[in-house]
Amino acid sequence: MPPFALQFVRHYLLSLQFFTRIPITGRLAAWVGYSPAMLRASAGHFPGVGVLVGALVAVFTAMLLMALPATGSAPLVAAALGTALGVLITGAFHEDGLADVADGLGGSHDRVRSLEIMKDSRVGAFGAIAVVLMLMCKVTLLGLLGDVSASLMVVALFVAHVVSRTWPLLTIRLLAHVGDVAGSKSKPLADQISLGALVTGFSWLFLSLALAVYGQVATDFIAIDVDLQSLLMAFSKAVLASFVAWVMMTRWFWRRLQGFTGDCLGATQQVCELAFYLGLAVSV
């Protein structure tokens, strides 16, 4: 295998090791290695992590939809269990970030105090409410999409995991890392990521979008009567909704913190994923 391909695989596996609970251990972990520079380079594979997580969740959800009784509640049940699998795979990594951001920015208007609250491992009222509402909204929106089309729901799960992991790369690129630099797990990501890492991330995004649209059209699995142009328009609006959510989150972090923390990246992923489902549901 060419050196470039080996480096690509090592960076991808390191990203999986950092952002998921998928076991990269033993000899494989030793071969992958670790350094702050490698972790910084692996950030470009954050959307690639979404490809794997989204594919696992989508396949699991599709299997549930086929196994469950064909009733109106089936999409909602499948959405809940599929969402639970996604949380299990990632170890609630991004949900934890959302909770910390909600506690920090909801608990104080002072920048320094907000950062102190975000470092506290305990979950407060704002954080608990934010996570509960986020999970409820995602499950119900997915159930709504499932009522329209089972395949649309499955494809939405796959694409949303990739899209929502792409926008945080722009946050790293545009904002400064703030907070407890010495104790932060995201410190290697604090330095501005390279243009090459951004190209890698957006390549994952475009690949997933192409696969999603091709899968819908080629298999003719979609259960709603739409042409290719309408399908592309619906997904485009969903991506746009996710991007708008990223803009709002980024402005919020800049205004309140003058930068970002690792928790901010997790919170951004969660909000952008929800916005994708909402944008697609409104479009359809």
Side-chain angles (χ1 to χ4, degrees):
M1 186 179 292
F4 172 81
L6 287 173
Q7 185 182 53
F8 184 93
V9 173
R10 290 176 69 190
H11 287 168
Y12 180 73
L13 292 177
L14 181 60
S15 191
L16 281 180
Q17 191 178 42
F18 188 81
F19 290 113
T20 73
R21 293 290 179 88
I22 295 174
I24 309 293
T25 58
R27 292 183 179 180
L28 181 59
W31 176 78
V32 171
Y34 173 82
S35 71
M38 284 182 63
L39 182 57
R40 192 177 306 116
S42 74
H45 294 283
F46 192 20
V49 172
V51 170
L52 181 58
V53 175
L56 292 173
V57 173
V59 170
F60 178 69
T61 303
M63 293 172 63
L64 285 173
L65 288 170
M66 290 186 288
L68 290 170
T71 65
S73 302
L76 198 60
V77 174
L81 293 175
T83 300
L85 177 64
V87 173
L88 181 64
I89 293 173
T90 61
F93 192 58
H94 311 304
E95 288 80 5
D96 179 67
L98 174 66
D100 288 341
V101 168
D103 279 335
L105 298 185
S108 175
H109 290 286
D110 179 72
R111 174 181 179 272
V112 175
R113 178 57 182 156
S114 292
L115 290 171
E116 290 177 352
I117 295 173
M118 290 167 66
K119 288 188 295 182
D120 193 333
S121 60
R122 294 170 295 181
V123 178
F126 285 106
I129 292 170
V131 172
V132 169
L133 288 177
M134 176 62 67
L135 293 174
M136 287 177 57
C137 289
K138 285 198 290 187
V139 169
T140 50
L141 278 171
L142 284 167
L144 177 62
L145 289 171
D147 283 337
V148 176
S149 164
S151 67
L152 187 64
M153 171 187 173
V154 170
V155 171
L157 270 169
F158 170 67
V159 178
H161 278 280
V162 184
V163 172
S164 62
R165 286 169 170 80
T166 302
W167 306 132
L169 299 182
L170 297 179
T171 303
I172 301 172
R173 179 77 176 182
L174 296 176
L175 298 184
H177 189 276
V178 295
D180 181 13
V181 175
S184 174
K185 294 180 181 179
S186 63
K187 174 57 181 71
L189 304 177
D191 297 332
Q192 190 179 69
I193 63 174
S194 66
L195 181 60
L198 281 179
V199 171
T200 299
F202 277 89
S203 296
W204 281 113
L205 172 62
F206 295 139
L207 175 63
S208 68
L209 289 172
L211 286 174
V213 174
Y214 176 78
Q216 288 279 24
V217 175
T219 61
D220 197 27
F221 185 44
I222 193 166
I224 53 177
D225 185 19
V226 295
D227 55 23
L228 177 59
Q229 183 177 357
S230 299
L231 186 63
L232 289 173
M233 184 62 67
F235 275 101
S236 297
K237 290 180 179 179
V239 173
L240 178 61
S242 183
F243 178 75
V244 171
W246 169 78
V247 171
M248 295 174 65
M249 294 293 286
T250 303
R251 288 186 61 191
W252 191 32
F253 297 147
W254 171 251
R255 188 170 63 250
R256 294 292 308 277
L257 301 175
Q258 287 80 58
F260 77 95
T261 67
D263 291 326
C264 294
L265 300 180
T268 299
Q269 185 278 323
Q270 287 288 289
V271 173
C272 290
E273 183 185 347
L274 176 63
F276 182 91
Y277 299 140
L278 178 60
L280 186 60
V282 171
S283 300
V284 173

